[in-house]
């Protein structure tokens, strides 16, 4: 219990700001690349503000979105395990403030600061569980349920704290890539969700997600 309390009080943003050398804050405008697939992998990143999209491109040029990251998320940590080249691209979905931490500095602080390394390992384990859930969702659930689930995840339903019910504008093509279906199917289900009152569009095409959308996920 004591360890859990210590971890819950650990402020990652404040701690990272105290690292001496090997880090810098960078601003990225919407649609700007933080790094692209094939770049040298020499640093990890921490999102201070904004959202970042991870995408991959196949050898035949097909692009797929593999993740949406938010404030407080890490990415690019593959460099810590000997990954020499980026396996995906990281693109700012909104204006972002991102902390870049050089590989050696990140490794040093992970070895030196136990509270930080405990938090980082817990973060990676939680994210791996999410990836496993994504795989199960892809294998066994309908495209309608997969779409409902990804919208709820983007709105942070089920996480501690108040849900972020408004999602910035996101193309139906991106949603289709994330759940493995066609844009036309996404359009059909989004219209259906809107008519049922599960979602509604705000100024600038931002999307508000209501908790009633859970009914789609929970319904057999």
């Amino acid at each position: 219990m004591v360890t859990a309390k210590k971890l819950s009080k650990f402020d990652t943003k404040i701690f990272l700001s105290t690292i001496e050398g090997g880090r810098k804050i960078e601003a990225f405008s919407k649609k700007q690349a933080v790094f692209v697939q094939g770049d040298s992998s020499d640093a990890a990143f921490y999102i201070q503000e904004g959202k970042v999209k991870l995408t991959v491109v196949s050898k035949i040029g097909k692009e797929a979105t593999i993740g949406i990251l938010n404030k407080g998320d890490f990415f690019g940590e593959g460099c810590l395990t000997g990954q020499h080249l980026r396996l995906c691209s990281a693109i700012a979905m909104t204006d972002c403030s991102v902390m870049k931490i050089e590989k050696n500095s990140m490794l040093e602080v992970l070895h030196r600061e136990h509270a930080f390394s405990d938090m980082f390992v817990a973060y990676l384990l939680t994210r791996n569980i999410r990836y496993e859930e994504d795989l199960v969702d892809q294998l066994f659930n309908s495209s309608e349920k997969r779409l409902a689930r990804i919208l709820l995840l983007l709105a942070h339903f089920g996480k501690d704290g108040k849900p972020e019910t408004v999602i910035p504008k996101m193309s139906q093509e991106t949603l289709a890539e994330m759940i493995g279906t066609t844009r036309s199917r996404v359009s059909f289900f989004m219209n259906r969700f809107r008519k049922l009152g599960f979602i509604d569009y705000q100024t600038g095409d931002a999307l508000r997600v209501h908790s009633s959308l859970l009914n789609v996920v929970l319904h057999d």
Side-chain angles (χ1 to χ4, degrees):
M1 293 294 294
V2 175
T3 302
K5 288 181 179 179
K6 285 183 178 179
L7 288 176
S8 65
K9 294 180 180 180
F10 186 82
D11 192 315
T12 305
K13 185 175 180 179
I14 292 176
F15 172 73
L16 290 175
S17 68
T18 66
I19 298 175
E20 295 183 4
R23 66 171 179 84
K24 62 178 179 179
I25 308 298
E26 297 184 350
F28 295 90
S29 57
K30 184 177 179 180
K31 296 185 178 181
Q32 185 179 358
V34 180
F35 57 74
V36 298
Q37 190 173 333
D39 279 355
S40 176
S41 181
D42 56 3
F45 297 84
Y46 176 79
I47 303 174
Q48 293 190 312
E49 297 291 341
K51 292 179 181 290
V52 172
K53 174 174 67 172
L54 302 182
T55 65
V56 293
V57 179
S58 70
K59 292 181 179 180
I60 61 173
K62 184 176 181 181
E63 183 175 285
T65 299
I66 60 173
I68 303 292
L69 304 178
N70 302 280
K71 177 180 178 181
D73 284 338
F74 290 91
F75 63 101
E77 72 282 349
C79 66
L80 305 177
T81 59
Q83 183 187 102
H84 299 297
L85 300 176
R86 299 294 184 191
L87 300 181
C88 66
S89 298
I91 311 296
M93 293 184 67
T94 63
D95 291 343
C96 293
S97 174
V98 177
M99 182 181 293
K100 179 180 181 180
I101 310 166
E102 292 180 4
K103 174 184 174 180
N104 290 338
S105 296
M106 189 71 172
L107 288 172
E108 179 185 345
V109 77
L110 284 169
H111 285 112
R112 187 180 72 239
E113 302 292 341
H114 296 300
F116 178 69
S117 59
D118 287 347
M119 180 282 306
F120 189 68
V121 169
Y123 169 81
L124 293 180
L125 289 173
T126 299
R127 196 174 65 185
N128 282 343
I129 291 171
R130 160 72 190 280
Y131 288 160
E132 290 178 1
E133 291 173 344
D134 287 347
L135 180 58
V136 171
D137 188 47
Q138 190 76 22
L139 291 173
F140 298 110
N141 286 333
S142 67
S143 53
E144 182 180 24
K145 279 191 176 184
R146 297 201 303 273
L147 178 59
R149 177 176 176 270
I150 203 66
L151 291 175
L152 290 165
L153 286 171
L154 290 171
H156 291 179
F157 277 100
K159 291 191 175 183
D160 294 336
K162 184 179 179 181
E164 180 187 357
T165 58
V166 177
I167 303 172
K169 182 180 180 181
M170 186 178 300
S171 72
Q172 292 183 351
E173 286 83 357
T174 296
L175 290 171
E177 291 169 3
M178 295 181 73
I179 66 172
T181 190
T182 63
R183 191 205 64 77
S184 61
R185 293 296 285 169
V186 169
S187 178
F188 173 80
F189 291 129
M190 292 293 278
N191 286 330
R192 181 174 178 178
F193 293 165
R194 180 178 56 79
K195 290 176 182 178
L196 291 171
F198 297 155
I199 63 172
D200 59 75
Y201 291 94
Q202 306 293 297
T203 303
D205 288 334
L207 185 69
R208 182 178 297 277
V209 178
H210 301 285
S211 57
S212 55
L213 185 60
L214 281 167
N215 295 330
V216 177
V217 177
L218 299 176
H219 179 70
D220 290 327

